[in-house]
């Protein structure tokens, strides 16, 4: 079914009443915009503050070429404008999890969006299953559509540039925690990062459905490019209100993920966020999910724990966590998706 021709909403999209977006949107400029061309010491302080308060901020002068950002936005629109049958030629399935997909679920409710996923590295190795005793790996390879013809090159070029920004952010975040700048880099030698091109079609039922339901990102951090439409919202810690992340021209959004929450032993939290949809405008966004190698064991960093501040998480394998999380993307599960609080000690 094409989203745009849906006269009545498919019940799979309907959010429970408590999760439906409110009509009245809170307007605020609270989410920091940080200029990376400033003096590093100052930038590190600003990032530390933003990570503590929000876990979300935007960066400008980030080094990702602006003309490349416009090229990837253009080619993404051309791809999603293709007829559904053509997009489905690059469809993801249970064997190949990369490619086009139009029925993603978050917390078992269908998201009002279609996506194209690709790994930052081709091939990428991940655990074959979520079963703890299964030591087999599986190889993930990208698949690319034939149209638009430049789609693959632009996506691969973008992946290379955004990865540099992700490493830069990792360094600044490490410094903000009082650690050496390269403290976390070793965990990414065989990173399992992936990119997603999101298309949120205009939605006739914006008060019932969400583009992406509330969730936390799993990895170290996410670098997100969004267009000028808006719709991303972050949950404010002190009152739980949903705050829009306003589009800032040429900026990239950074949000922390679960791995950083664990490494920092809760000094920084992985913020809950969601995407609301718009009855008039379609929206595009492109997240880069910066994920450690599958064999990395996640636990609070030794430098950040002591007797007064003991580790709040027991060690767990990142690759298995990643695979368990993703299971629910292919089919609805009856069980709750794995979350980091399942590894909390207290
Ligand atoms: O589209 C967006 O702005 C954010 C999407 C998102 O949160 C996700 O894909 O994890
Ligand atoms: Fe997200």
């Amino acid at each position: 079914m094409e989203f745009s021709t849906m006269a009545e909403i498919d019940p799979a999209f309907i959010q429970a009443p408590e999760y439906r977006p409110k009509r009245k949107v809170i307007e605020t400029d609270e989410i920091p915009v940080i200029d990376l061309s400033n003096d590093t010491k100052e930038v590190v302080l600003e990032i530390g503050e933003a990570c503590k308060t929000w876990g979300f901020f935007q960066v400008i002068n980030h080094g990702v070429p602006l003309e490349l950002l416009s090229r990837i936005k253009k080619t993404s629109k051309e791809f999603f404008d293709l007829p559904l049958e053509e997009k489905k030629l690059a469809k993801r399935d249970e064997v190949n999890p990369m490619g086009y997909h139009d029925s993603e679920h978050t917390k078992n409710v269908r998201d009002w969006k279609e996506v194209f996923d690709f790994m930052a590295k081709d091939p990428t190795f991940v655990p074959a299953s979520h079963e703890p005793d299964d030591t087999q790996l599986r190889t993930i390879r990208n698949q690319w559509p034939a149209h638009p013809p430049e789609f693959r090159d632009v996506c691969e070029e973008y992946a290379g540039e955004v990865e540099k920004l992700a490493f830069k952010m990792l360094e600044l975040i490490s410094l903000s925690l009082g650690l050496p700048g390269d403290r976390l880099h070793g965990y990414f030698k065989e990173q399992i990062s992936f990119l997603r091109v999101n298309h949120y079609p205009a939605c006739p039922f914006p008060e019932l459905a969400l583009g992406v339901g509330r969730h936390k990102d799993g990895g170290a951090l996410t670098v997100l490019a969004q267009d000028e439409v808006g719709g991303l919202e972050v949950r404010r810690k002190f009152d739980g209100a949903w705050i829009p992340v306003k589009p800032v021209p040429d900026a990239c959004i950074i949000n922390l993920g679960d791995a950083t929450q664990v490494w920092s032993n809760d000094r920084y939290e992985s913020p809950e966020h969601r995407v609301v949809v718009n009855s008039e405008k379609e929206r595009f966004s492109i997240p880069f999910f910066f994920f450690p190698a599958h064999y990395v064991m996640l636990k609070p960093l030794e430098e950040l724990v002591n007797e007064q501040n003991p580790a709040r998480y027991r060690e767990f394998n990142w690759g298995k966590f990643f695979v368990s999380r993703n299971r629910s993307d292919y089919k609805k599960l009856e069980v709750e998706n794995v979350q980091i609080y399942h590894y909390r000690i207290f």
Side-chain angles (χ1 to χ4, degrees), residues 317-329:
N317 175 259
W318 157 252
K320 292 286 180 192
F321 180 77
F322 164 84
V323 173
S324 312
R325 265 286 176 98
N326 282 2
R327 282 170 75 218
S328 67
D329 292 352

Side-chain angles (χ1 to χ4, degrees), residues 56 212-213 215-217 222 232 255 271 273-275 287 289:
F56 244 98
V212 187
H215 68 283
K216 299 174 178 216
D217 292 351
T222 303
L232 173 61
N255 68 271
H273 54 286
R274 69 178 188 185
V275 175
F289 298 103

Side-chain angles (χ1 to χ4, degrees), residues 113 196 198 200 212 215 217 224 226 232 273 275 283 285 287 289:
K113 69 173 180 189
R196 167 167 285 173
N198 280 311
Y200 305 95
V212 187
H215 68 283
D217 292 351
L224 177 89
Q226 67 166 342
L232 173 61
H273 54 286
V275 175
R283 172 174 181 262
S285 75
F289 298 103

Side-chain angles (χ1 to χ4, degrees), residues 227-338:
D227 63 15
E228 65 297 334
V229 174
L232 173 61
E233 296 182 340
V234 53
R235 202 170 158 91
R236 186 161 61 191
K237 273 196 231 163
F238 73 85
D239 63 355
W242 289 101
I243 306 297
V245 184
K246 275 197 196 152
V248 169
D250 304 334
C252 286
I253 295 166
I254 310 292
N255 68 271
L256 303 181
D258 292 340
T260 301
Q261 177 168 334
V262 172
W263 282 327
S264 76
N265 204 29
D266 286 348
R267 275 206 227 176
Y268 296 164
E269 276 171 40
S270 174
E272 199 166 33
H273 54 286
R274 69 178 188 185
V275 175
V276 298
V277 278
N278 186 306
S279 59
E280 277 131 49
K281 292 185 193 146
E282 61 178 350
R283 172 174 181 262
F284 296 88
S285 75
I286 309 162
F288 171 88
F289 298 103
F290 195 34
F291 285 179
H294 72 81
Y295 48 75
V296 167
M297 298 301 291
L298 285 183
K299 62 172 184 187
L301 297 171
E302 269 153 31
E303 303 91 313
L304 300 180
V305 299
N306 54 41
E307 264 176 40
Q308 287 77 46
N309 185 19
R312 297 189 182 183
Y313 299 89
R314 59 192 159 82
E315 186 175 75
F316 61 97
N317 175 259
W318 157 252
K320 292 286 180 192
F321 180 77
F322 164 84
V323 173
S324 312
R325 265 286 176 98
N326 282 2
R327 282 170 75 218
S328 67
D329 292 352
Y330 308 113
K331 49 180 172 284
K332 285 176 78 157
L333 294 179
E334 298 310 318
V335 293
E336 190 199 10
N337 216 340
V338 65

Side-chain angles (χ1 to χ4, degrees), residues 81-318:
D81 277 348
L82 295 172
L84 186 59
E85 308 77 68
E86 183 147 4
K87 290 183 276 196
K88 285 200 163 165
L89 295 174
K91 189 166 84 65
R92 101 178 173 200
D93 53 36
E94 294 222 17
V95 180
N96 190 343
M98 294 296 111
Y100 175 77
H101 188 56
D102 68 357
S103 60
E104 179 117 318
H105 290 75
T106 304
K107 302 198 197 298
N108 286 333
V109 182
R110 190 165 163 198
D111 293 328
W112 191 273
K113 69 173 180 189
E114 49 181 349
V115 306
F116 184 89
D117 288 343
F118 61 102
M119 301 303 298
K121 306 287 173 198
D122 188 357
T124 292
F125 303 97
V126 302
S129 78
H130 69 286
E131 303 293 348
D133 298 331
D134 181 0
T135 55
Q136 299 249 48
L137 293 181
R138 84 173 162 139
T139 311
I140 304 184
R141 305 217 70 132
N142 289 334
Q143 57 170 333
W144 297 100
H147 298 285
E150 67 283 3
F151 186 76
R152 175 180 183 163
D153 283 351
V154 176
C155 286
E156 289 181 341
E157 194 181 335
Y158 181 74
E161 291 296 331
V162 79
E163 184 194 319
K164 289 187 214 159
L165 174 57
F167 273 111
K168 177 154 189 71
M169 296 318 305
L170 194 68
E171 178 186 339
L172 293 168
I173 289 166
S174 301
L175 291 169
S176 79
L177 287 165
L179 303 167
D182 62 358
R183 173 64 176 87
L184 301 168
H185 281 46
Y187 299 135
F188 294 83
K189 285 217 174 78
E190 287 158 77
Q191 57 175 292
I192 60 172
S193 304
F194 80 101
L195 291 95
R196 167 167 285 173
V197 187
N198 280 311
H199 174 222
Y200 305 95
C203 176
F205 321 98
E207 67 292 343
L208 295 177
L210 288 170
V212 187
R214 79 209 142 86
H215 68 283
K216 299 174 178 216
D217 292 351
L221 58 94
T222 303
V223 182
L224 177 89
Q226 67 166 342
D227 63 15
E228 65 297 334
V229 174
L232 173 61
E233 296 182 340
V234 53
R235 202 170 158 91
R236 186 161 61 191
K237 273 196 231 163
F238 73 85
D239 63 355
W242 289 101
I243 306 297
V245 184
K246 275 197 196 152
V248 169
D250 304 334
C252 286
I253 295 166
I254 310 292
N255 68 271
L256 303 181
D258 292 340
T260 301
Q261 177 168 334
V262 172
W263 282 327
S264 76
N265 204 29
D266 286 348
R267 275 206 227 176
Y268 296 164
E269 276 171 40
S270 174
E272 199 166 33
H273 54 286
R274 69 178 188 185
V275 175
V276 298
V277 278
N278 186 306
S279 59
E280 277 131 49
K281 292 185 193 146
E282 61 178 350
R283 172 174 181 262
F284 296 88
S285 75
I286 309 162
F288 171 88
F289 298 103
F290 195 34
F291 285 179
H294 72 81
Y295 48 75
V296 167
M297 298 301 291
L298 285 183
K299 62 172 184 187
L301 297 171
E302 269 153 31
E303 303 91 313
L304 300 180
V305 299
N306 54 41
E307 264 176 40
Q308 287 77 46
N309 185 19
R312 297 189 182 183
Y313 299 89
R314 59 192 159 82
E315 186 175 75
F316 61 97
N317 175 259
W318 157 252

